[in-house]
Amino acid sequence: MMNLWKIYRPVWQFLLLFFGTYGVLSGLYFYLLDYWAAQGMIVDPITNFVGQQLLILLEFFGFDADVAPWNGTGDTVIWVMGVPVAQLVEGCNAVSVMILFAAFILAIPQGIKYTLNYVFLGSILLYGINILRIALISIGIYLWPNWSEVLHDLVFPGIIYGTILLLWILWMWRYKLKLNKDE
């Protein structure tokens, strides 16, 4: 048994770091969500902030828009040109996606400073891409309402998860280059 640990040590180390980091960060995030709900906040501050930035971006694109709470629920509604096009829920704020991204990167560290910078800059990129994708999908649903399922179910996740995949590939590419250099 101990021999298996030695043989597969890098795999076990990756799995422990990945799931440990994911568990801790997710636990902290869910604790904050519960805390904000206990404080009587209808919409959590992060989703509210995403909604405010989404509104600015939609108006920048030339669309009359509004993002407002939906009947006392934890959701907000995105209005484009007076038409409700989508709900902005807690899952749309990309925090859980950033946690997944960070857990993977932290499980394959490449020096503390570089790793933390990559997590920070990657999270900022994911946040910006997320706001842009919500804006584009909101506009798309407004212009082509019959395509709302395709936009939400395929384009919506494809943009954000495609960005994560690209960031992970870049991280692993650099890791491989570093391993080849050390050999």
Side-chain angles (χ1 to χ4, degrees), residues 106-161:
L106 292 170
I108 304 175
Q110 298 186 38
I112 191 75
K113 185 178 178 182
Y114 186 76
T115 300
L116 292 178
N117 281 335
Y118 195 82
V119 167
F120 179 71
L121 294 173
S123 296
I124 289 173
L125 176 67
L126 288 170
Y127 185 82
I129 292 285
N130 184 55
I131 292 172
L132 180 62
R133 95 182 151 107
I134 295 170
L136 294 176
I137 289 170
S138 298
I139 293 167
I141 291 172
Y142 170 73
L143 296 174
W144 305 288
N146 293 338
W147 287 86
S148 63
E149 278 189 47
V150 172
L151 290 171
H152 183 271
D153 297 344
L154 296 175
V155 176
F156 186 80
I159 292 171
I160 197 76
Y161 289 112

Side-chain angles (χ1 to χ4, degrees), residues 58-90:
L58 286 169
E59 289 176 349
F60 174 79
F61 287 151
F63 289 88
D64 181 35
D66 192 21
V67 178
W70 180 257
N71 295 337
T73 66
D75 304 338
T76 54
V77 175
I78 303 167
W79 299 76
V80 176
M81 306 302 278
V83 176
V85 295
Q87 286 183 307
L88 182 65
V89 298
E90 174 272 324

